[in-house]
Amino acid sequence: MPRGRPAKPKLAIAVPAIDPDRRDRLRRALLDWYDRHRRVLPWRAEPGQTADPYAVWLSEIMLQQTTVAAAGPYFRAFLDLWPRVTDLAAARREAVLARWAGLGYYARARNLHACAEVVADCHGGRFPDTEAGLLELPGIGAYTAAAVASIAFDRPTVPVDGNVERVCARLFAIATPLPDAKPELRARAAQFAHDHRPGDFAQAMMDLGATLCTPRRPACHRCPWSGDCAAEAAGIADTLPARLPKGDRPVRHAVAFITLRAADGALRIRTRPDSGLLGGMAEVPGTPWEEGAPWDQAAALAHAPLSPQGWRLLPGVVVHVFTHFRLEARVMLRHLDRAEAAALDAAEAGEAGDPRWCPPEALGRAGLPSVMAKLVEHARIGTSEPGLPL
DNA sequence: TAAACGTGGCG
DNA sequence: TCGCCAAGTTT
């Protein structure tokens, strides 16, 4: 047998084993608390009822980096439109993306549809019932695989989200700042894995983090683990978990071109390339988004649809903050008469992104991401204002 | 491994 | 006004 480097099993880092008695005490206390304070959420099964794996999965995808309040209406709309995973798989991709508009992180919507197709076509319309099987699916990572496995299939695994990281950082008084502390926090959380009510335990951990063990001003006096928490004992709960300082957000500048068809007020939109920022979503045309100085008018107009003439610069700047940069966009507006609109259609025929007219009454269904809706709204408001020099 | 990837609410 | 934060995944 060749003596190559021994396969390094990417196991969790070593942490002191939790005392089994303490573990069981903590588990009992948390589940008792959960039974008394369990929140009613749209995707949550009634006590004693079996959770629908499709609903659990859908909710978990929507809840990634997203608040319960924001995800709720989307969850209900999706389940209403597409009650089963096979319905979602059969839906048109554009329809799914349009319904996702406004929720953000649009790769989730692309992967959502792809995942539904895999489940429908390769798994007979049923989700894999193991963590490893779920992990194979598009858009499902370590957290979501563990969440679905525990909540929908009673698998003894502990999903680790931001809540669980915070709860564990405090319970064990882990001073290492995030994200460096993630491996240790995962290992600590994993020690709670158990066959008894794994789904409820997972949701209880997250509820605890969402309602009592909150980022600021944690309510330790009401916590089921009060008296058993290292950070509480040390009086440092509100300082944990520590975080590495974040870098500054650069500013990108853009000019958006709002093109309206005078005859009916239709708006010119197109579809963005499939990958990257806002991939596959609808947009209004514009300049590239570039760091440095704001665009000067002539340079911007070189990117204008149809021709550089006839555009009016609207007053004001639209600011939109993304995770890794801030966008500051000016808006230029132009109304096209019948002949000009026809010329634009001819000029852009066959172009990538399927440039098209969206009638005003269809704007709501067009699926504009928030930043695009903001630009359009700015033009709607700005039309009553005089133009300013750029 | 680190960076990309949205949005809205809150203090 | 602004930074922080929310049930993370992908490349």
Side-chain angles (χ1 to χ4, degrees), chain A residues 14-370:
Chain A
V15 295
I18 189 172
D19 174 67
D21 290 335
R22 183 183 184 214
R23 183 200 64 184
D24 293 344
R25 182 173 68 246
L26 291 169
R27 283 187 54 89
R28 262 197 308 276
L30 183 60
L31 284 168
D32 283 350
W33 170 83
Y34 182 68
D35 289 335
R36 281 179 283 119
H37 299 281
R38 176 180 167 287
R39 292 186 294 169
V40 175
L41 299 174
W43 42 83
R44 203 164 257 184
E46 294 301 312
Q49 302 249 325
T50 306
D52 172 12
Y54 169 59
V56 173
W57 162 74
L58 180 62
S59 71
E60 291 300 343
I61 301 298
M62 288 184 169
L63 286 164
Q64 290 168 7
Q65 300 290 286
T66 304
T67 59
V68 165
Y74 284 84
F75 176 81
R76 282 183 282 266
F78 269 65
L79 213 52
D80 193 47
L81 273 169
W82 303 296
R84 297 163 309 189
V85 66
T86 46
D87 300 321
L88 184 59
R92 286 175 32 249
R93 201 181 98 120
E94 313 86 78
V96 175
L97 292 189
R99 282 288 168 168
W100 195 277
L103 200 53
Y105 282 141
Y106 297 99
R108 292 185 296 172
R110 304 194 296 270
N111 286 327
L112 185 84
H113 191 239
C115 182
E117 289 181 325
V118 172
V119 171
D121 298 343
C122 307
H123 297 275
R126 283 184 301 278
F127 279 85
D129 63 359
T130 65
E131 196 172 355
L134 289 160
L135 203 45
E136 297 294 314
L137 297 170
I140 295 188
Y143 162 78
T144 305
V148 176
S150 60
I151 297 170
F153 297 115
D154 290 320
R155 300 289 182 178
T157 183
V158 181
V160 180
D161 71 333
N163 289 306
V164 176
E165 286 179 351
R166 184 169 57 255
V167 167
C168 288
R170 289 171 176 170
L171 181 63
F172 301 106
I174 293 165
T176 310
L178 287 172
D180 293 358
K182 280 174 181 285
E184 179 174 2
L185 293 168
R186 273 196 294 274
R188 295 281 192 171
Q191 296 191 336
F192 284 103
H194 199 284
D195 275 317
H196 180 60
R197 300 178 65 187
D200 285 344
F201 183 80
Q203 295 177 88
M205 286 276 268
M206 294 189 275
D207 271 19
L208 184 66
T211 61
L212 297 185
C213 197
T214 48
R216 283 170 302 228
R217 298 172 50 86
C220 298
H221 57 104
R222 285 193 284 153
C223 181
W225 288 350
S226 181
D228 216 331
C229 172
E232 181 198 29
I236 57 171
D238 62 346
T239 72
L240 296 180
R243 284 180 190 279
L244 260 18
K246 305 180 176 166
D248 276 357
R249 238 193 285 269
V251 178
R252 296 186 194 175
H253 299 275
V255 175
F257 299 103
I258 306 290
T259 317
L260 296 176
R261 191 164 59 185
D264 61 351
L267 171 72
R268 192 71 169 172
I269 62 172
R270 65 189 182 193
T271 302
R272 290 174 65 90
D274 195 65
S275 64
L277 187 73
L278 307 174
M281 301 301 293
E283 71 167 357
V284 296
T287 66
W289 301 1
E290 291 187 345
E291 283 183 41
W295 288 83
D296 71 55
Q297 192 151 354
L301 283 170
H303 297 272
L306 196 56
S307 72
Q309 287 81 42
W311 295 92
R312 178 158 69 99
L313 178 66
L314 301 182
V317 175
V318 174
V319 176
H320 190 82
V321 180
F322 292 87
T323 306
H324 52 298
F325 66 93
R326 156 198 292 258
L327 179 70
E328 296 185 2
R330 308 284 320 249
V331 176
M332 303 200 76
L333 176 66
R334 180 171 177 185
H335 290 84
L336 300 189
D337 63 29
R338 202 170 296 278
E340 290 168 327
L344 181 58
D345 280 325
E348 293 183 341
E351 268 193 20
D354 182 30
R356 57 198 181 272
W357 295 104
C358 180
E361 66 274 13
L363 255 187
R365 275 164 285 132
L368 289 180
S370 292

